[in-house]
Amino acid sequence: MNKACFKVMIILLLLTCASTVVADNKDLGERLAWSCLSCHGNAGASQGPATPVIAGLSYNYIVGVMLAYKYTDDLEKALDVIDNNPDLADVGIYERFPSTMNNVASALSPDEIKAIAKYFSELPLEKLNQQFDEKLAAAGKKLHKKYCDKCHENGGASTADDVGMLVGQWRNYLTFTMQDYQSGDRGIHKKMNTKLKSMLDKKGEESITQLIEYYSSQQ
Amino acid sequence: MLSRRSLLKLLGISSALPLMGVTRLAWAAENRIIIVGGGAAGTIFAKYLKKILPAAEITIVEKNKTYQPAFVSNHLINGLLDINATQYGYQTLQKNGIKVIHDTVTEIDPVSKNIALAGGKSLPYDRLVLAQGIGFDNAAIQGFDENTLHSWTAGEQVQQLAPKVAGLKPGGVVIVATPAGSISGPWAPFERVSQMAAYFSINNKKAKIILLNGNAKTEDLAIFEDYWQQHYPGMIEAQWQTNVSAIAGNSVTTSAGNTTANLLNVVAANRAGNLALKAGLTDSSGWCPVAAGTFESSKQKGIYVIGDAITPELGLSKTAQSANAQAKLCAIAMANQVQGKAVLQDLPPLIDSEYAILNNDYAIFRTKVFRINADKKLTQVSHGKSQIDDPEKQAQREVLYAQSWFNNITHEMFE
């Protein structure tokens, strides 16, 4: 074998290895994600009535939620992971109401959490067919514009800037989330807390129902 | 810079690399996969293996054209679910290139690698996956046979219990007898009694339920007994470590003597099915020993066992959720082997969990998560469960999460 040919062989070998590694990382994310689907639905599109849709959430959002579940007893550790991973600089950690997700997240390494987050964040966001009350939804639309749309853009359908998905999400899940924000069982972003308090002061408890009806009406 | 394709051209090779060529040749000669049983394990195994290996010839042999999962039988009793909404067909799997034969496998020949079907045909396989669920040890209870109302396995019996409960005469007595040892649906006996009590508390207030349970009471069952005492005082009598040895007419025999009731719901000891026993896949426990991760039988090469029939020694429970998770690991490990990768590479966590819905506003869960560790052993890495003093809203939410699980897992199997 001449020298040139040998060089080509080496390059070829390296290229083959590189492409295998890339493929395997993608495989890993997908295969880890398969363990989520019996509860969260085919391709992360939960059939409901309560377990949330996770397809189309932002990468940072999923990583933040999973780290919060994983390190529920010591959120400092979640912040350590963020400090040690420059690519996670924009990830926020907010406490969650305990669920079996704590057990699932505990079983995954931060790198595995990242692979899963990549997989689900790249899946399309599907809209849901939910029944809704038109009158309440109309009231909710106004509330959304006034209190929510600045961060939850596009009528709550956008997941830009790592906000949660409001359109295409199950009504029960949105209800649980708002209950937990109000009871303090779920950590809340400062800005949202201010807006929520202001809305509740001016419009009362029913404003939350109206908002949820509005999001459920967006199909 | 040279692209990879032009490099290949330069070397005079087509897109098939030499190494891959070897794998493909070997694969072509051994890509016939037969799955016995189209339930929680079999459908999921077929679906995910097909995703990784689209060229594999995958066949499910399942006797029922319509699948009625055993895990809904309790939820029909008090109207949590409607029987019409809990029957599934195999059309989507077939559309996705999986062959489904509705027949009964009468024999597996691990030497010639053939299965015999009741319809008379014989089918060759390269790899066989047994995903058939449990069988009953009929001999354990005198008088127990296929006509005994157990409502414990997939198929017609699933829907037979609820109307009998509804038809119980006012003030009548039901006996629910479940066996000692490992059982399909570890919490199912207690969920069943809970659902019956929920139904009777509205529709037949003086009815009585006697639970005869072969196993000792364990700590996690306190939550059920607590609930029963609070909501249905005097309705339920639970006897532990009590095994039924015979049934005749409407009475059961235990070591304490005979008890008569208006309705008997008796489950005989569970073990792997007759087919597994005949094929030499079981050990003295009556269950199938398998390797962790691959789920290949320790008794017969080329045969894999997933779901309820595997040995309890691995620490996995006999639930649809566990079967689903096992099927995914088995499919990935098998594909890895075929593709020449490290067999236990890229295996996801094995989530082994169970819900019990006690009433329309009260459900509980337990979860164990396993991973394959560096020693190729299945290791429990985390666990959690509902507690008696959980906030009320949590138990209420678990009902909706349990129903979501049901909707999603059946959708995952059949859509």
Side-chain angles (χ1 to χ4, degrees):
Chain A
M1 192 186 294
N2 69 34
K3 236 179 178 178
C5 187
F6 184 72
K7 260 189 185 165
V8 169
M9 283 294 282
I10 292 290
I11 292 167
L12 176 64
L13 201 72
L14 286 174
L15 280 171
T16 313
C17 289
S19 71
T20 312
V21 170
V22 171
D24 282 353
N25 279 347
K26 195 170 162 277
D27 282 355
L28 179 67
E30 184 181 7
R31 282 161 207 187
L32 290 169
W34 286 350
S35 64
C36 313
L37 307 185
S38 47
C39 289
H40 285 283
N42 281 339
S46 170
Q47 300 293 303
T51 303
V53 172
I54 54 175
L57 287 166
S58 87
Y59 174 82
N60 285 343
Y61 179 95
I62 300 174
V63 172
V65 170
M66 292 297 282
L67 290 177
Y69 276 128
K70 180 175 171 70
Y71 298 112
T72 185
D73 296 328
D74 185 2
L75 290 183
E76 285 293 317
K77 284 189 183 154
L79 297 173
D80 289 347
V81 171
I82 291 174
D83 287 346
N84 296 329
N85 286 269
D87 57 317
L88 300 183
D90 293 331
V91 169
I93 301 289
Y94 298 102
E95 199 176 4
R96 292 276 173 141
F97 189 60
S99 81
T100 196
M101 278 307 298
N102 296 110
N103 316 124
V104 175
S106 301
L108 297 163
S109 71
D111 281 344
E112 289 179 325
I113 286 174
K114 284 157 73 170
I116 289 177
K118 188 162 191 308
Y119 177 77
F120 284 116
S121 66
E122 287 171 359
L123 291 176
L125 202 157
E126 305 275 355
K127 295 200 170 170
L128 293 177
N129 232 336
Q130 298 187 80
Q131 289 186 339
F132 64 94
D133 180 308
E134 275 179 45
K135 228 170 141 189
L136 292 175
K141 185 175 182 177
K142 287 184 192 150
L143 291 168
H144 175 82
K145 279 219 170 113
K146 185 152 194 253
Y147 294 99
C148 318
D149 196 60
K150 213 167 166 193
C151 297
H152 294 278
E153 296 165 26
N154 193 13
S158 166
T159 58
D161 293 332
D162 308 325
V163 298
M165 157 208 316
L166 305 179
V167 170
Q169 193 53 280
W170 289 101
R171 170 195 278 105
N172 284 315
Y173 176 75
L174 296 175
T175 305
F176 296 168
T177 302
M178 295 309 285
Q179 284 171 357
D180 291 350
Y181 278 145
Q182 288 181 271
S183 65
D185 285 323
R186 178 159 170 150
I188 186 165
H189 193 281
K190 238 183 178 170
K191 231 193 295 179
M192 173 152 176
N193 199 27
T194 310
K195 288 280 184 189
L196 179 60
K197 280 206 166 120
S198 155
M199 181 182 81
L200 285 167
D201 279 349
K202 287 181 192 140
K203 309 283 180 185
E205 277 290 329
E206 66 268 27
S207 59
I208 290 181
T209 315
Q210 292 164 349
L211 272 178
I212 292 172
E213 284 306 301
Y214 169 61
Y215 301 131
S216 307
S217 74
Q218 298 300 292
Q219 299 174 2
Chain B
M1 200 185 140
L2 286 167
S3 73
R4 187 170 145 200
R5 186 176 293 167
S6 56
L7 264 173
L8 289 169
K9 243 182 174 171
L10 202 72
L11 286 169
I13 5 181
S14 69
S15 65
L17 291 166
L19 225 161
M20 286 171 76
V22 172
T23 317
R24 287 224 176 114
L25 273 178
W27 177 230
E30 50 167 338
N31 65 354
R32 294 164 305 178
I33 317 284
I34 289 181
I35 302 152
V36 184
T43 54
I44 292 295
F45 174 86
K47 174 177 177 170
Y48 287 100
L49 188 73
K50 191 78 183 167
K51 272 187 200 281
I52 314 176
L53 301 173
E57 280 179 34
I58 302 174
T59 306
I60 295 176
V61 185
E62 161 61 49
K63 72 169 185 247
N64 297 306
K65 287 192 172 150
T66 302
Y67 179 74
Q68 301 184 54
F71 47 98
V72 308
S73 61
N74 294 342
H75 301 169
L76 300 172
I77 294 169
N78 193 32
L80 270 173
L81 287 170
D82 174 349
I83 188 64
N84 297 314
T86 57
Q87 306 199 37
Y88 305 88
Y90 293 87
Q91 295 79 0
T92 303
L93 285 163
Q94 286 168 313
K95 213 171 68 199
N96 292 334
I98 292 154
K99 200 168 167 192
V100 181
I101 297 175
H102 294 294
D103 206 333
T104 302
V105 180
T106 52
E107 208 164 334
I108 300 168
D109 182 347
V111 180
S112 71
K113 292 195 165 185
N114 271 282
I115 59 167
L117 300 177
K121 273 192 187 157
S122 150
L123 290 175
Y125 67 84
D126 298 302
R127 287 178 169 85
L128 183 114
V129 179
L130 190 71
Q132 219 189 6
I134 56 155
F136 293 114
D137 182 7
N138 287 10
I141 299 178
Q142 197 190 333
F144 184 96
D145 59 30
E146 66 271 19
N147 298 317
T148 307
L149 177 66
H150 53 75
S151 207
W152 211 255
T153 52
E156 287 165 0
Q157 278 240 2
V158 167
Q159 52 179 298
Q160 288 170 0
L161 179 61
K164 291 266 165 77
V165 172
L168 188 77
K169 71 169 198 184
V173 177
V174 183
I175 289 179
V176 177
T178 48
S182 270
I183 180 172
S184 175
W187 271 356
F190 320 108
E191 184 192 61
R192 176 165 292 183
V193 166
S194 304
Q195 286 295 326
M196 284 181 178
Y199 179 82
F200 290 147
S201 70
I202 296 163
N203 302 292
N204 191 347
K205 290 196 168 86
K206 291 195 170 147
K208 292 248 180 303
I209 306 164
I210 302 173
L211 169 67
L212 307 175
N213 192 46
N215 289 321
K217 184 159 56 174
T218 53
E219 207 188 323
D220 62 341
L221 299 178
I223 213 161
F224 288 95
E225 283 208 313
D226 189 66
Y227 190 90
W228 298 342
Q229 271 156 23
Q230 271 187 43
H231 294 83
Y232 321 111
M235 185 188 279
I236 301 162
E237 178 196 334
Q239 297 180 23
W240 306 93
Q241 288 176 290
T242 303
N243 275 296
V244 171
S245 56
I247 47 175
N250 269 343
S251 76
V252 301
T253 308
T254 67
S255 56
N258 289 346
T259 315
T260 303
N262 303 97
L263 174 61
L264 294 189
N265 174 207
V266 178
V267 182
N270 293 184
R271 55 163 173 70
N274 286 333
L275 188 64
L277 261 74
K278 254 167 71 180
L281 297 168
T282 53
D283 62 18
S284 59
S285 72
W287 301 106
C288 304
V290 293
T294 64
F295 294 88
E296 184 163 13
S297 165
S298 318
K299 298 276 185 180
Q300 303 283 2
K301 264 193 145 311
I303 297 185
Y304 300 74
V305 186
I306 48 176
D308 283 357
I310 67 163
T311 174
E313 277 173 21
L314 283 183
L316 301 174
S317 62
K318 304 194 182 304
T319 60
Q321 172 58 38
S322 188
N324 171 292
Q326 292 167 34
K328 288 168 183 166
L329 266 69
C330 182
I332 297 169
M334 190 183 288
N336 282 341
Q337 200 176 15
V338 166
Q339 292 176 329
K341 295 185 186 174
V343 174
L344 300 177
Q345 182 184 319
D346 294 347
L347 294 189
L350 194 163
I351 303 172
D352 182 293
S353 65
E354 188 174 19
Y355 282 107
I357 305 180
L358 281 72
N359 206 340
N360 298 359
D361 60 356
Y362 194 96
I364 56 174
F365 79 93
R366 57 154 198 85
T367 299
K368 290 179 180 174
V369 186
F370 296 82
R371 300 295 303 255
I372 300 288
N373 69 12
D375 296 334
K376 304 183 178 179
K377 293 236 162 65
L378 195 64
T379 311
Q380 188 184 312
V381 289
S382 65
H383 65 97
K385 63 183 176 192
S386 301
Q387 303 292 333
I388 255 176
D389 52 359
D390 280 342
E392 207 177 308
K393 73 171 179 185
Q394 192 162 353
Q396 285 172 3
R397 287 181 189 181
E398 294 303 344
V399 176
L400 294 170
Y401 288 138
Q403 289 176 327
S404 299
W405 170 82
F406 172 79
N407 289 337
N408 284 320
I409 203 167
T410 48
H411 197 251
E412 189 186 18
M413 289 160 69
F414 292 103
E415 288 305 325

